[in-house]
Amino acid sequence: MEKKTPHVVIVGAGFGGLAVARSLRNAPVRMTIVDKTNHHLFQPLLYQVAMAGLSPAEIAYPIRAIVRKQKNVTVLMEEVTAVDLERRVVLMGERELAYDFLVLAAGAQTNYFGHDDWMPYAVGLKDLDDAVEIRRRVLVAFEAAEREEEAGDRAKLLTFVIIGGGPTGVELAGSLAELARHALASDFRVINPSSAKILLLEAGNRILPSFPEELSERAVRQLERLGVQVRTGALVTGINRDGVQLKGGEFIASSTVLWCAGVSASPLTKTLGVPLDRSGRVLVEPDLSLPGHADAFAIGDLAAFLHQDGKLLPGLAPVAMQQGAFVAEAIEDTLAGKSRKRFRYVDRGSLATIGRSAAVAEFGRVRLSGFTAWLAWLLIHIFFLIGFRNRFIVFFDWLWSYLTYQRGARLITGHRMDPGAPVSGKPES
């Protein structure tokens, strides 16, 4: 009787999911990658699309093209709606897909901490649709301000609020400041884009809390040089189409609010029936498997790994990639009858860019800021982009932007509406 080839189902083609597929390229398994989109997204550069520095196609690559040379991989463009761990099947609506090994790498979604009514007025940044919507809202705000005659309404249009002082919020704030003060500076006749007010609000006592305090302070100084107002201890209690309400009674009138304050795991984890943390992440075992289900794994933003110094691993691409490679090894060990190892993350450093020639970086005991950190950030991100064409185009676009201060992707697409209106474009009831 012919031996059945083990079937590995990978849900999600992000950094972690692709790391699994690539690591198993020579393994005696067949794989199915299931993703609701047809492309792998280089999420660290989403803010560049949102701020008109890059076009969507420059940070995304078709999944089928990535794995076309792997004969043991099939790709399905489907959305997994649930997982039945007892029957060992994933559900895609009414369709089912059986597995021998399951890897959940479906990523995260924007978390409004129970205030989903804020969502229409404060768009998050998790996928290409979000990035294009942010770009549209920001550019429409400047266009609307150009034709606005009332000073108060014009000031509201030219006030941009970014909520959340983590790497995404810092990168958006710095890039938005450069867009307003350089790329758009000479494009308007009535307004002065350089006068735009950009506020970065952080509820905690400092921005970039995952970085050393020294680098957080440097980041604040670099942002302030760009014209960004950084406010810590600023707890948001309400958001509507007119602006942002802060604890203590202060109201900031703004037509464009961007949400970078938190993420939660894909809602897929709620169908598993296993222990989750407060953000919906699976409390995985030391080998990244699901409790009670050694044939199923969760990695990346879906996994709450607490077996290394008791600290939750950050939701970063390097974490997902290392976990993906580890899970592939665990599957091969299982098939070979070997015992599995414990996962251990090797931290090779953290980076956050702030603007032109401005960034902060930590590589162990080495801490960098300014141009050196920015250059390291640039080279590392280009290296990890998938596809030679994407690397070449992104490098050229960044070089052009560095020399000229221009942004080549300043296109307004999508539904036309006033800034601050619901994302759907439907009128409020």
Side-chain angles (χ1 to χ4, degrees), residues 378-423:
L378 183 149
L379 294 175
I380 289 171
H381 281 70
I382 287 178
F383 176 80
F384 281 108
L385 268 174
I386 291 178
F388 173 79
R389 175 184 175 276
N390 283 15
R391 293 190 190 105
F392 177 80
I393 292 176
V394 168
F395 176 76
F396 179 80
D397 280 350
W398 279 345
L399 179 62
W400 178 256
S401 178
Y402 184 83
L403 295 175
T404 67
Y405 284 98
Q406 293 301 305
R407 302 284 179 95
R410 302 202 308 268
L411 305 179
I412 298 175
T413 58
H415 296 292
R416 290 296 303 271
M417 63 180 104
D418 291 332
V423 176

Side-chain angles (χ1 to χ4, degrees), residues 38 50 58 107 119 161 182 219 222 246 289 293 308 369 373 393 413 421:
N38 77 330
E58 292 169 10
M119 188 185 306
V161 178
H182 298 292
Q222 292 179 73
L246 299 181
S289 65
H293 299 276
Q308 184 171 327
S369 64
I393 292 176
T413 58

Side-chain angles (χ1 to χ4, degrees), residues 163-204:
I163 301 170
T168 301
V170 167
E171 289 167 349
L172 273 176
S175 193
L176 177 53
E178 290 192 332
L179 177 70
R181 285 150 177 68
H182 298 292
L184 300 179
S186 302
D187 288 4
F188 293 84
R189 299 295 174 264
V190 176
I191 64 170
N192 175 14
S194 299
S195 67
K197 187 177 181 180
I198 301 166
L199 295 95
L200 177 62
L201 306 182
E202 166 57 41

Side-chain angles (χ1 to χ4, degrees), residues 120-165:
Y121 313 108
V123 63
L125 183 59
K126 291 306 295 178
D127 57 31
L128 285 176
D129 289 339
D130 289 340
V132 172
E133 173 63 14
I134 288 175
R135 182 181 70 183
R136 189 196 65 76
R137 291 192 186 196
V138 168
L139 294 178
V140 165
F142 285 104
E143 295 291 343
E146 177 79 352
R147 63 178 186 268
E148 178 58 56
E149 296 181 358
E150 205 281 315
D153 289 340
R154 182 183 294 172
K156 176 183 170 183
L157 286 162
L158 292 177
T159 298
F160 300 87
V161 178
I162 298 150
I163 301 170

Side-chain angles (χ1 to χ4, degrees), residues 5-37:
T5 302
H7 185 206
V8 181
V9 174
I10 303 169
V11 180
F15 292 105
L18 285 184
V20 177
R22 286 169 157 175
S23 299
L24 289 175
R25 59 185 175 276
N26 297 318
V29 300
R30 62 186 181 94
M31 290 176 276
T32 301
I33 298 175
V34 187
D35 197 291
K36 62 183 178 181
T37 71

